[in-house]
Structure formats: structure tokens, C-alpha cells
Amino acid sequence: MAKQGQKKPLTKAEQASQRKHIKTFWKVLGGGVLFILLVFIMASWGIFGKLPDPSSLENPEKDLATQIVSADGEVIGKFFKENRTPVQFEDLPKHLVNALIATEDVRFYDHSGIDAKGSVRALAFLGTRGGASTISQQLAKQFFTDQVSKNKFQRGMQKIKEWIIAIRLERRYTKEEIITMYFNVYDFLNLAIGIESASNIYFDKAPQELQIEESAMLVGMFKNSSLYNPRRNPEGVTNRRNVVLSQMAKYDFITETERDSLQKLPLNVTFTPQDHDEGIGTYVREYIRGYMKQWAKDNPKLDGSLYDINSDGLKIFTTLNSKMQKYAEEAVDMHMPNLQNEFDAQNEKNKISPFRDITEEEIDKIMDAAMRRSDRWREMKNQGKKEKEIIESFSKKTQMRIFSWGGDIDTLMTPIDSIRYYKSFFRASMMAMTPQTGEIKAWVGGVNYKHFKYDMVKKGKRQIGSTFKPFVYATAIDQMHMSPCDTLPNTPYCIAEGKYGLLKEWCPKNSSGNYGGMMTLKGALAQSINTITARLIDRVGPRPVIDLIEKMGVDTKEVPEAPSIALGTPDISLYEMVGAYSTFANEGVYVKPILVQRIEDKNGTVLFQNVPETRDVISNETAYVTVSLLQGVTQSGSGSRLRHKWRGNDPVYKKIITGYPYEFGNPIAGKTGTTQNNSDGWFMGMVPNLATGVWVGGDDRATHFSRTAYGQGASMALPLWGIFMKKCYADETLDISKDNFRKPGKISIETNCSEYKNDGGNDGDEIPDDEFEF
């Protein structure tokens, strides 16, 4: 009999039953393990769906953005399907990596893709005490799970595949490479894919410049960037950031004191979007896009396929200087609102505003043409709409967002009224380049790319007014050895009918209406005397002048062989004008303007290297003498407002000469230009190592000021040059020259005209500059 308290021995039947249950347990456990192993093996064989092949694991990078890089090393734009630019592990600050490990996978350096301890915990507590997904598994999910399934069984299969891929990734890559790829692939939203884009978009800085609290915020977004979006949910993002900081303190990456102080800081997000319509250099970026598309067609890959600028991760190294580009855009933003305000004020009583000097019939033609060129017309035409229906739609009010210098405005307006509204805005363009190298330093194609997409640097061409005159003078100097000090009569002058193919006698008038006496060439150019320019082109003939500008890079196919070109009737682009003027500053040598210096693939292999195109056009003596003439314009002609400061109380100066006084004291060669009815205002200005051109005008020639005092190039365009150059000179890192233009060792033409009376001197600069008549 068993003693009290002792266990009763098991009977043979009970012992057999116990052994049976133990065997069953191990069989079930073993079977389960074998089943799991079998599922993993079958999944690795691709039975449950295709796994990525080895080659895709060797190179798992997704679409990479192409970067546009300035000459001073700044990324000024990107082309992308996904705004992703890879960084190297060395570019990641240590605290950023620590924040990720502390928050997402604290045993990252101890496992081989699967965290066994975390997996058991997740299974035991059904995920209530944290998940088991490692950084490697999350990377596998980012790379190879296109759409997370909502079906539990299918999601389970996806998880198994992710585990297998994670193990394979661990075998092929170092821990540092896996972390780097994870940072490069994650979508932080707002077109910020990868840590490089995210740090720039949310904090306007490179990843290596991030502070601990900024790194914590970005790592916090890994949990759910849609939920923890600092633009939509700053409170939630702050809380999540503080969780990350707490995790960092928990695992001794930061002290508790650091955690407490950092958690008190605001987010301090500096949202800097990288949309194609926003940011610096929008117009030049779009030009580069077209340039790259053509380059890709002309330079296919070795396998015959074409480079894709939106996904191949190219680097386009440009000649642009990011600071000068910024200063040029700031000049436009400063001056154009003032000009626009005055134009709008003068049009308050204009019944056909924004147009002048045209009939209602001509206005109807302008509006009809604009309507048929619009995106709305094209889209409705593609939808198969009939013309009558399309035209009627332009008279129906619709909700739209329109441009204003004070910011975009949401309004209700008919499309036809919006077309007229946009035609009331002046446009502007500016380009600056180094004459000796052809390197373009700044390119502004318009006032706002989002609303005015047409680029007026290279695509747009307009009449150039008196900025053409130096080409006539240069031809006369080159052919006839004329001096700036030579004099000609300032009297009415006609070129007879039949000469140069003229159908009738051509008798240009001085815009000022003043005649009489003799004038030096220097004075005549400074005061833009039309009759003397007419005498010069009659002496040399139109053809040599056309040949000259063609050698200087101007497309002359549409330039008529007529004497009227001397007064600026041809349509020429700003790009061509800056290139041509640079020939004078570069001692008679034309250098084709360049923008793209070098192209590299994502591995740094050079695919293209620019070779400058140059040619001798005129002698260095002729170039120097022409520059001397152009200096007279800024010393005593229509460009002299760049130097003096005594007109500050003048109403015109107060309203639209933005940035006055400029008070430049260094040598400047320049020329203003104004076309008939003040439709276009130009200024071309040069110092020894920088040539800059500016154009301002309306979308249509009928959009213009009524008075030359407001509409001349010296009022519309020159202030942009003045503001831009003041900013450039204030930035000593740019090293913009204040020296004299280089003088040839031997010069036989007299350029010092101080002993001559009529050398262009005047007691003011309000000469109605450059207006020409036919």
C-alpha cells in the first residue's frame, strides 16, 4: 500500500497512454517544423509564386532620378519617375543609422535576416508586444512586394517569400549595404523617395547635415509615412519622433538628458518641394530635358536601348552657377511686380486693356489664335469634341487657380477671360555667360514656369531694336577702319528706292525728333541716333552685317537683306544675342554658348564631355573698339542710369527703376533696345568676364506701355541687369571682374574721344531711346 502523499504509480496502461501522447506531441511538433520547412523549400523553388532571380538580387536598385548639377556642386533639379537619388553608407550620419536600429531592429547585427527571438515573441503574443520584421525583411518587402495583400493566406505567402529574400540579401550584402539600400528605397511621400530626397525636401539639407532630432523624425516615418506626414500630422509626427528618441536612449545611443532636451524641440520642418514646376532653374531644367532626350536618341547604350533620364540615375553636370541663377531669379521677382503694377495702373481706363493701338478685329484674331493653341482646346479636340462645342466651353465659368505676383488666386472665371488675363502680364528673360568659355551661368526663361511655360531665352525670338546697332558699327569699323571719334552729320537721311531691293525710299527718323550738327560714332551709338546708323549700313551694305552676325551664332535664315535690319527689325533670341555680344568681350572670338558640360551614368562613367566650339570672327582691335563704343552707352547714354544717383525723385524711377541707384563705377559695355510702340525692352550688358542679356515684353506686341519713358529698354530691362549685377558683385566668391576690358598690344584706331564735342555727352538720360519707324 502506497504511503500517504506519495504518487500512485502509473499503471502499464497509463504509462502506455502517456508515451503515446508524448510521441504524438513530438510527431505534431516535428511535422509542423517539417511542414514549415517544406513550405519554405517549396516557396524557395517558386511553387507559390516566382521569386526574384539572382541577377535582380545582385542589382536590386529601383528607378533612380537623374540629377542636374551646377558648376559649384549644387543639385538644382532632377528628372524622375520616382525622386530617388542613392547615397553611400559613408553619407549617412551615425545617429541616423542608430535611430533606425534602435527603433526597427535592435538585433540587426546579430541575425542573418530572420530574428528568431522576435519571431517567437510575435507568435506567442500575436504581435501585441512588437513585430518580428527585421530591416532585411522590410527591405525585401520594399524591393519585391509590389502590393501587400489583404488576404491573410496570401499575405502569409508574401511574408514567407520576404523571409527567404531577406536571407538571400544577407548572404549577398554586408549589413552596411543593407542599411544603405533601405534608406535609399523608402518612400517618405511628397516626391521624397530615399533619404537623400527626404532630407532635402523636409529639411533643405543633405543627409550628412541632419541633426539627431531630424534623423529621429525621418526614421519615425518608416512606421507609416502616410500617417506620420509632417505636413498633415505634425502632432503625430512629433510624438512618433519622441518614441524614436526614447528608443535611442533605451539602447544607449543617446543619454536620457539628451533625449529629454531633444524631445522638447519643435519639428522645424523646412519643406522644400522638388516638383518639376518649382524650385530653382525651372526653365533651364526643362530646356535640359529636351536636350537630354535628343542626346539619348543620338547616343544609345551598347545594347541599342536608349537612356531613360527619368530612371537611369544619370548625372548632368552643367555650367550654371547656382548662386548666379538664384540672383537672376531674384532680380526678376524684384523688378517685374513693380513694372506690372505700373502697367496695370496705366490700363485702368484703357477699354481694350491689356492691348493698345489695335482694332477690335485684331484683338479677336489674337484671342482666337490663343484659344486654339491652348491646352483646353487640344484636350477637347482629342476627346472628339466638335469645334462649336469647344468654343462654347470657353465662355462657361469654371473654377481655376490663376497667377498673381502676390500669390496664386483661386477664382471662378471663363477660360476666354483667363486667356486675356494672362496676356496682361509682362514676360521677362535673362541669360548670363562667360565670354571666354561660353559657359552659361544663369538662365531665366520667364517670370513663373508653372503658369508661363514658354521659354524666352532660346525658344522665343523677338525684335531686338537698337541692340542690333553695334553689329552695324562693328562691320563699319572692321571694313572701313572707322573710329568711335569719327563724325557724321546728324541730319535726315534716305536710301533710294531700288537700292538693296527697296520697293520705296527708306528714310528712318530719330526717335527724339532732334537733328543737326555733327556727331561722333560714340555719341551716336550712346544716344541711339537712327539716321547715323542708316548712313553706316548704307556704306557697308546689309549683307556684310548679316554675315557678321551669322559668324557670331545668329540664325540668319529669316533675316532679310534690307537696310532696315540696322534698327533691329529681325527676330532674334536672347541666347543668340548673348553669344554674339560675348564675341566683342572675347576679343573677336565667338564661343558657342554651352550649358551641359559633362554627363555621367549612375556609376560615374563619363558618357559625354563637351568640346567648346570657337571661331575667329573679327580682329581683337575691332572687338576692342566696339566695346569702347558700348562703354559710351553706360557713360553718357541711355545706360548711364547704371552709374548716377541723382534721379531718385523722378516719378518713373520711383515706380519702376527697381534697385536704383546702382552706382556702378567699373567699366561696363552695354546697349539698350526698344522696339516700335515700346513692345520690347532689351538691355545687353558686359564686364570683362560676364556677358548678360535681358528681354522684357508682353506675350503680344500689342501689350505695351503708351509712353517710352516707361516702355524703353532702359526702364523695362536695364533694372534687371542692375539688380543682378549688384548681387553678383556683393558675392565675392563669384569673382566678377571690375577691371578694364583687355586692350590689344597694338591698336591703330583712336578710341579716346574726349577732345571731341559731340561724343554722346548729355545732361540726362531720358532720351526716348531706340524707337524705330519704317
Side-chain angles (χ1 to χ4, degrees):
M1 187 173 177
K3 290 182 180 180
Q4 193 172 2
Q6 279 188 326
K7 271 192 170 183
K8 185 179 178 182
L10 296 174
T11 64
K12 289 184 178 181
E14 288 174 331
Q15 289 176 355
S17 175
Q18 189 180 56
R19 285 194 297 269
K20 183 179 179 181
H21 284 306
I22 290 171
K23 285 181 180 179
T24 301
F25 170 77
W26 286 109
K27 283 180 181 179
V28 171
L29 181 62
V33 172
L34 288 172
F35 176 75
I36 292 172
L37 288 173
L38 181 62
V39 168
F40 270 85
I41 291 170
M42 293 171 68
S44 67
W45 289 342
I47 292 175
F48 301 126
K50 188 177 180 182
L51 287 171
D53 58 41
S55 64
S56 64
L57 287 175
E58 289 291 348
N59 186 22
E61 296 284 5
K62 291 193 173 186
D63 293 338
L64 300 178
T66 287
Q67 295 178 288
I68 304 171
V69 185
S70 67
D72 52 328
E74 296 293 324
V75 176
I76 60 172
K78 299 179 181 181
F79 302 125
F80 52 81
K81 292 176 183 174
E82 295 181 338
N83 185 15
R84 185 197 325 277
T85 301
V87 297
Q88 301 301 314
F89 184 77
E90 306 81 62
D91 299 322
L92 302 173
K94 189 175 181 179
H95 55 70
L96 178 67
V97 175
N98 291 341
L100 178 68
I101 290 172
T103 309
E104 299 291 330
D105 189 358
V106 74
R107 285 179 290 277
F108 175 70
Y109 286 105
D110 300 325
H111 62 66
S112 299
I114 305 296
D115 182 3
K117 184 177 178 181
S119 298
V120 171
R121 183 195 64 223
L123 286 171
F125 297 98
L126 300 177
T128 58
R129 295 192 182 181
S133 184
T134 66
I135 291 174
S136 303
Q137 288 173 259
Q138 292 178 50
L139 178 62
K141 176 183 175 183
Q142 289 289 328
F143 273 139
F144 302 111
T145 302
D146 293 327
Q147 183 68 45
V148 175
S149 177
K150 294 181 180 179
N151 180 285
K152 290 185 178 180
F153 175 77
Q154 290 179 348
R155 180 60 192 137
M157 290 297 100
Q158 286 180 338
K159 275 281 189 183
I160 291 169
K161 291 179 188 177
E162 289 166 9
W163 286 358
I164 294 168
I165 295 168
I167 294 170
R168 291 182 178 179
L169 286 170
E170 289 269 354
R171 289 173 180 171
R172 291 179 182 272
Y173 296 99
T174 66
K175 291 289 187 178
E176 289 76 16
E177 288 172 328
I178 288 172
I179 282 180
T180 305
M181 285 191 286
Y182 188 48
F183 273 117
N184 281 334
V185 76
Y186 191 75
D187 186 353
F188 292 85
L189 297 187
N190 295 307
L191 297 178
I193 300 180
I195 192 66
E196 193 274 346
S197 295
S199 60
N200 276 283
I201 286 176
Y202 290 114
F203 294 109
D204 194 23
K205 61 176 66 173
Q208 54 266 40
E209 298 172 335
L210 290 170
Q211 300 298 312
I212 295 175
E213 69 278 9
E214 295 167 341
S215 292
M217 191 206 88
L218 293 173
V219 167
M221 294 177 71
F222 278 110
K223 185 174 179 66
N224 184 335
S225 57
S226 181
L227 175 62
Y228 297 109
N229 184 332
R231 296 193 71 202
R232 298 178 181 175
N233 183 16
E235 183 178 351
V237 171
T238 302
N239 293 336
R240 179 62 186 165
R241 179 204 65 180
N242 291 345
V243 169
V244 175
L245 291 170
S246 294
Q247 288 294 104
M248 294 179 74
K250 179 180 178 180
Y251 293 108
D252 298 324
F253 291 119
I254 58 175
T255 66
E256 292 186 359
T257 303
E258 286 178 307
R259 176 201 64 194
D260 294 341
S261 62
L262 291 172
Q263 286 180 339
K264 294 175 183 177
L265 295 175
L267 291 179
N268 287 330
V269 169
T270 306
F271 186 65
T272 311
Q274 293 184 347
D275 186 80
H276 295 304
D277 285 352
E278 300 183 64
I280 191 172
T282 46
Y283 287 93
V284 71
R285 279 156 37 194
E286 192 59 29
Y287 171 78
I288 291 172
R289 184 199 300 277
Y291 174 94
M292 288 301 298
K293 285 182 178 179
Q294 186 60 50
W295 177 86
K297 289 180 182 178
D298 297 338
N299 299 272
K301 298 178 184 178
L302 293 176
D303 62 4
S305 62
L306 301 183
Y307 285 100
D308 186 341
I309 64 171
N310 294 313
S311 62
D312 278 342
L314 303 177
K315 276 193 174 182
I316 306 166
F317 293 89
T318 71
T319 61
L320 293 168
N321 182 286
S322 65
K323 293 179 179 179
M324 294 174 74
Q325 180 68 32
K326 176 174 173 282
Y327 299 153
E329 293 181 9
E330 287 175 349
V332 170
D333 291 341
M334 285 177 63
H335 176 60
M336 294 308 294
N338 293 338
L339 196 68
Q340 191 66 48
N341 287 339
E342 181 59 26
F343 180 72
D344 293 342
Q346 292 187 18
N347 270 298
E348 286 181 359
K349 296 181 180 180
N350 178 11
K351 294 182 179 180
I352 61 170
S353 175
F355 309 111
R356 287 186 182 276
D357 306 319
I358 58 173
T359 64
E360 287 290 351
E361 183 180 353
E362 289 171 319
I363 293 173
D364 291 341
K365 288 180 180 179
I366 290 173
M367 297 299 294
D368 185 71
M371 179 176 65
R372 294 173 187 273
R373 290 194 307 266
S374 68
D375 291 338
R376 171 182 285 269
W377 183 281
R378 184 172 58 254
E379 289 169 6
M380 293 185 74
K381 199 75 174 175
N382 292 337
Q383 294 170 5
K385 305 288 185 183
K386 293 183 178 179
E387 186 171 303
K388 182 181 178 183
E389 184 181 358
I390 297 174
I391 292 173
E392 289 174 349
S393 76
F394 276 81
S395 298
K396 296 177 181 177
K397 287 190 175 183
T398 184
Q399 195 71 34
M400 63 180 70
R401 175 166 289 186
I402 59 175
F403 170 79
S404 83
W405 278 111
D408 288 357
I409 300 171
D410 291 314
T411 187
L412 195 65
M413 184 182 287
T414 66
I416 197 68
D417 284 343
S418 73
I419 290 174
R420 191 158 184 155
Y421 172 78
Y422 276 102
K423 284 189 176 293
S424 70
F425 285 95
F426 280 124
R427 318 295 168 88
S429 59
M430 179 187 293
M431 178 178 138
M433 69 172 266
T434 304
Q436 292 76 19
T437 63
E439 295 177 349
I440 297 172
K441 295 301 179 183
W443 175 310
V444 183
V447 295
N448 183 291
Y449 182 74
K450 182 179 178 181
H451 293 279
F452 305 96
K453 295 235 180 325
Y454 196 76
D455 189 327
M456 288 300 296
V457 168
K458 191 171 185 183
K459 187 183 292 185
K461 295 189 176 188
R462 296 293 285 256
Q463 288 185 331
I464 59 172
S466 287
T467 52
F468 191 90
K469 290 176 180 176
F471 303 128
V472 180
Y473 281 69
T475 305
I477 294 165
D478 194 49
Q479 286 192 358
M480 306 170 66
H481 218 61
M482 294 187 75
S483 163
C485 309
D486 288 343
T487 59
L488 291 173
N490 177 21
T491 56
Y493 187 81
C494 295
I495 298 179
E497 176 185 341
K499 195 173 185 180
Y500 309 120
L502 288 173
L503 298 177
K504 62 178 182 178
E505 187 178 55
W506 184 62
C507 303
K509 299 176 183 178
N510 290 336
S511 57
S512 64
N514 297 324
Y515 302 93
M518 302 292 288
M519 292 193 73
T520 62
L521 295 192
K522 190 171 186 178
L525 185 64
Q527 298 189 33
S528 215
I529 304 299
N530 290 339
T531 55
I532 289 182
T533 308
R535 290 178 186 275
L536 290 177
I537 198 165
D538 193 20
R539 291 190 182 191
V540 300
R543 173 45 55 187
V545 178
I546 294 172
D547 290 342
L548 175 70
I549 62 172
E550 186 173 11
K551 292 175 185 175
M552 290 179 167
V554 177
D555 181 1
T556 60
K557 290 192 293 291
E558 301 298 324
V559 179
E561 194 173 332
S564 60
I565 65 172
L567 305 187
T569 57
D571 289 338
I572 299 177
S573 71
L574 180 64
Y575 173 91
E576 293 170 312
M577 287 295 289
V578 175
Y581 264 67
S582 292
T583 307
F584 299 132
N586 193 33
E587 303 180 68
V589 179
Y590 170 77
V591 183
K592 184 177 180 180
I594 60 167
L595 185 60
V596 176
Q597 191 74 276
R598 186 172 80 257
I599 301 170
E600 294 180 1
D601 67 13
K602 64 182 180 181
N603 299 314
T605 303
V606 177
L607 304 175
F608 167 80
Q609 180 70 54
N610 178 73
V611 178
E613 294 182 33
T614 67
R615 56 177 168 266
D616 293 340
V617 178
I618 52 179
S619 68
N620 61 352
E621 182 180 38
T622 298
Y624 179 78
V625 172
T626 306
V627 166
S628 177
L629 283 168
L630 291 168
Q631 285 182 272
V633 176
T634 67
Q635 290 164 350
S636 57
S638 56
S640 63
R641 59 184 65 185
L642 289 171
R643 303 189 180 283
H644 62 57
K645 61 179 180 180
W646 53 273
R647 299 298 295 269
N649 292 323
D650 187 299
V652 176
Y653 280 68
K654 283 184 174 181
K655 293 175 181 177
I656 64 170
I657 311 302
T658 314
Y660 180 86
Y662 309 105
E663 298 184 84
F664 294 115
N666 55 290
I668 298 170
K671 186 70 188 82
T672 55
T674 312
T675 60
Q676 191 154 353
N677 296 327
N678 310 310
S679 295
D680 305 274
W682 291 80
F683 184 72
M684 307 297 299
M686 300 182 294
V687 295
N689 64 349
L690 191 68
T692 305
V694 181
W695 167 85
V696 176
D699 185 41
D700 296 280
R701 290 184 53 79
T703 302
H704 59 79
F705 279 106
S706 59
R707 290 177 53 199
T708 302
Y710 291 94
Q712 63 179 318
S715 298
M716 295 219 294
L718 179 144
L720 286 169
W721 192 92
I723 298 167
F724 171 66
M725 290 301 293
K726 280 183 76 172
K727 288 176 178 287
C728 288
Y729 279 129
D731 189 338
E732 295 181 359
T733 64
L734 298 177
D735 196 27
I736 305 301
S737 175
K738 290 186 177 181
D739 297 333
N740 289 312
F741 289 88
R742 185 175 177 181
K743 188 174 183 178
K746 293 183 179 180
I747 185 165
S748 60
I749 300 176
E750 179 62 56
T751 59
N752 183 4
C753 307
S754 58
E755 61 186 87
Y756 294 83
K757 288 186 177 180
N758 293 312
D759 65 346
N762 59 76
D763 56 3
D765 64 351
E766 285 302 324
I767 302 166
D769 159 75
D770 306 322
E771 191 172 318
F772 60 80
E773 300 180 14
F774 298 93

